[in-house]
């Protein structure tokens, strides 16, 4: 299968290419284009234009540009014969773009071609517990076992919590600086709105939450309120500030009627690194999934009793293997579900962009 990557920025080098290499995808199957002629990562056969890339007739195109360009690029790809189009998060950058995207998706032939992707939707350990079946790649610790169904319906859930607390370092002034999620090196970019935590990483947590609850038939009804949002140095974001990126945020709301709470922080210090969700059940049981080092930890917490499983590997690799590539591709194994995944991502981004409007004012 030929793959076309439109946008060859940092996410390609730090996330996609290492994952494709570990999954043994030949470099000669990967083509790419970027408006920046200096972006030519090894492992991608660079095309001189978007038209030239599309002329290679890739079976799948992945749109990995900056978010403002997702929709314009998508429109151009839709005019081609590419059968499978994957759009990185956030699927669109503004509420106006989302409305236009929905108009495009109203055409059935478009809806089956477009998958809005967030790689955290492959972090499905808690979803497996909810389904009552844990896949064999999860390794049990100390006799961990799922001996009976834990949950029958959404009514069994008290609340769901999510968190993405990135470890961070410090600059020469003692100020916090973000670290690249894949390399751990200092992120030298000066982040500006809209690249703050609300949309940039809030999408990840909501995708993981939403896919977990979707196992029980959750709908796309999502409402969020902002408890607080602060910049990199811990100062509140002021109304009318359309430049400063949020460094941390605390959100509350409801997803399909289930109370939710989310903590986001790009500058959580050396003690950061917590990335996952917790599902609280009415009988006191807590289902938890978190990152630990280079892998995942899945737990059932029932008082003093803890059942634990671990899973090694990078999230992007798992996402590509389970959702995008070969026979595991959603386009192959569940084509009727592709549009549902996309609508869930749209609902999440819509709620986060509306929250930005509440925080900063109409813009």
């Amino acid at each position: 299968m030929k793959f076309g990557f439109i946008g060859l920025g940092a996410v390609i080098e730090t996330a996609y290419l290492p994952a494709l290499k570990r999954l043994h995808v030949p470099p000669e199957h990967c083509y790419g284009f970027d408006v920046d002629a200096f972006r030519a990562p090894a492992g991608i056969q660079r095309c001189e234009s978007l038209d030239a890339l599309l002329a290679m007739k890739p079976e799948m195109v992945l749109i990995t540009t900056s978010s403002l360009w997702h929709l314009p690029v998508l429109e151009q790809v839709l005019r081609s014969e590419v059968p499978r189009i994957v759009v990185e998060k956030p699927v669109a950058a503004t509420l106006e773009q989302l409305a236009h995207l929905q108009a495009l998706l109203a055409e059935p032939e478009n809806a089956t071609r477009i998958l809005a992707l967030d790689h955290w939707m492959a972090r499905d350990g808690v979803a497996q517990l909810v389904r009552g079946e844990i896949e064999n790649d999860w390794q049990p610790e100390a006799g961990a076992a799922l001996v009976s169904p834990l949950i029958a319906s959404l009514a069994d859930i008290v609340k769901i919590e999510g968190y993405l607390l990135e470890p961070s370092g410090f600059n020469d002034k003692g100020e916090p600086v973000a670290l690249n999620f894949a390399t751990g090196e200092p992120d030298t970019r000066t982040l500006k709105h809209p690249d703050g935590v609300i949309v940039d990483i809030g999408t990840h947590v909501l995708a993981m939450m939403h896919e977990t609850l979707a196992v029980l038939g959750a709908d796309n009804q999502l409402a969020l309120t902002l408890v607080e949002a602060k910049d990199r140095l811990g100062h509140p974001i002021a109304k009318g500030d359309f430049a400063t990126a949020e460094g941390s945020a605390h959100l509350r709301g409801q997803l399909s009627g289930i109370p939710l709470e989310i903590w986001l922080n790009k500058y959580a210090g050396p003690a950061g690194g917590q990335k996952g969700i917790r599902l609280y059940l009415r009988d006191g049981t807590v289902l938890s999934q978190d990152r630990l080092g280079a892998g995942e930890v899945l737990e059932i917490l029932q008082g003093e009793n803890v059942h634990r499983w671990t899973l090694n590997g990078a999230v992007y690799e798992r996402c590509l293997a389970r959702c995008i590539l070969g026979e595991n591709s959603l386009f192959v194994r569940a084509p009727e579900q592709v549009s549902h995944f996309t609508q869930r991502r749209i609902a999440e981004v819509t709620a986060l962009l509306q929250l930005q409007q509440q925080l900063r004012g109409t813009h």
Side-chain angles (χ1 to χ4, degrees), residues 72-146:
V73 171
L74 174 61
E75 289 189 279
Q76 188 166 347
V77 177
L78 281 172
R79 290 194 288 270
S80 75
E81 296 180 358
V82 175
R84 304 171 184 176
I85 307 167
V86 178
V87 187
E88 256 288 358
K89 67 86 188 171
V91 63
T94 68
L95 293 171
E96 292 76 15
Q97 284 190 342
L98 286 170
H100 186 57
L101 175 59
Q102 288 287 38
L104 293 174
L105 292 169
E107 299 293 332
E109 63 272 20
N110 289 339
T112 57
R113 294 170 68 192
I114 300 169
L115 174 65
L117 182 72
D118 189 295
H119 64 286
W120 274 39
M121 69 193 206
R123 298 186 65 201
D124 60 348
V126 175
Q128 291 182 34
L129 293 178
V130 170
R131 284 195 296 265
E133 296 181 341
I134 299 179
E135 296 175 5
N136 292 333
D137 48 359
W138 287 95
Q139 299 302 306
E141 292 188 358
L146 183 59

Side-chain angles (χ1 to χ4, degrees), residues 199-229:
V199 175
D200 186 42
I201 62 178
T203 50
H204 296 322
V205 180
L206 277 175
M208 188 177 180
M209 287 178 157
H210 208 165
E211 291 307 317
T212 299
L213 297 183
V215 172
L216 295 167
D219 58 28
N220 295 340
Q221 296 302 306
L222 175 59
L224 297 174
T225 59
L226 186 67
V227 179
E228 67 173 11

Side-chain angles (χ1 to χ4, degrees), residues 166-172 174-180 185-188 232 266-269:
E166 295 277 12
S168 61
F170 298 93
N171 63 18
D172 294 339
E175 299 170 338
V177 293
L179 303 177
N180 182 282
E185 296 297 318
D187 189 337
T188 58
R232 176 173 65 95
K266 215 171 183 67
Y267 306 96

Side-chain angles (χ1 to χ4, degrees), residues 98-325:
L98 286 170
H100 186 57
L101 175 59
Q102 288 287 38
L104 293 174
L105 292 169
E107 299 293 332
E109 63 272 20
N110 289 339
T112 57
R113 294 170 68 192
I114 300 169
L115 174 65
L117 182 72
D118 189 295
H119 64 286
W120 274 39
M121 69 193 206
R123 298 186 65 201
D124 60 348
V126 175
Q128 291 182 34
L129 293 178
V130 170
R131 284 195 296 265
E133 296 181 341
I134 299 179
E135 296 175 5
N136 292 333
D137 48 359
W138 287 95
Q139 299 302 306
E141 292 188 358
L146 183 59
V147 295
S148 61
L150 295 167
I151 183 169
S153 71
L154 291 172
D156 294 328
I157 301 171
V158 175
K159 65 177 178 177
I160 185 169
E161 294 179 346
Y163 45 93
L164 202 172
L165 311 178
E166 295 277 12
S168 61
F170 298 93
N171 63 18
D172 294 339
K173 299 178 182 179
E175 299 170 338
V177 293
L179 303 177
N180 182 282
F181 78 94
T183 66
E185 296 297 318
D187 189 337
T188 58
R189 296 174 298 166
T190 300
L191 298 177
K192 297 289 186 181
H193 174 65
D195 293 325
V197 296
I198 290 177
V199 175
D200 186 42
I201 62 178
T203 50
H204 296 322
V205 180
L206 277 175
M208 188 177 180
M209 287 178 157
H210 208 165
E211 291 307 317
T212 299
L213 297 183
V215 172
L216 295 167
D219 58 28
N220 295 340
Q221 296 302 306
L222 175 59
L224 297 174
T225 59
L226 186 67
V227 179
E228 67 173 11
K230 297 180 179 180
D231 67 13
R232 176 173 65 95
L233 301 179
H235 304 139
I237 303 293
K239 199 85 167 181
D241 183 344
F242 304 134
T244 306
E246 324 91 44
S248 64
H250 180 191
L251 318 180
R252 288 196 183 115
Q254 288 195 343
L255 174 55
S256 194
I258 305 299
L260 68 80
E261 198 151 9
I262 297 174
W263 291 267
L264 307 168
N265 195 337
K266 215 171 183 67
Y267 306 96
Q274 299 76 32
K275 305 175 182 181
I277 64 171
R278 290 185 290 262
L279 196 64
Y280 294 82
L281 307 186
R282 296 199 180 279
D283 66 0
T285 299
V286 180
L287 311 181
S288 170
Q289 183 175 349
D290 197 359
R291 289 293 289 178
L292 181 63
E296 305 273 350
V297 177
L298 179 65
E299 294 179 323
I300 303 173
L301 308 170
Q302 295 172 312
E304 296 182 357
N305 297 320
V306 179
H307 296 263
R308 181 179 294 113
W309 294 260
T310 58
L311 174 70
N312 290 325
V315 181
Y316 260 97
E317 180 181 346
R318 185 169 176 81
C319 181
L320 291 177
R322 293 176 67 85
C323 302
I324 303 301
L325 300 179

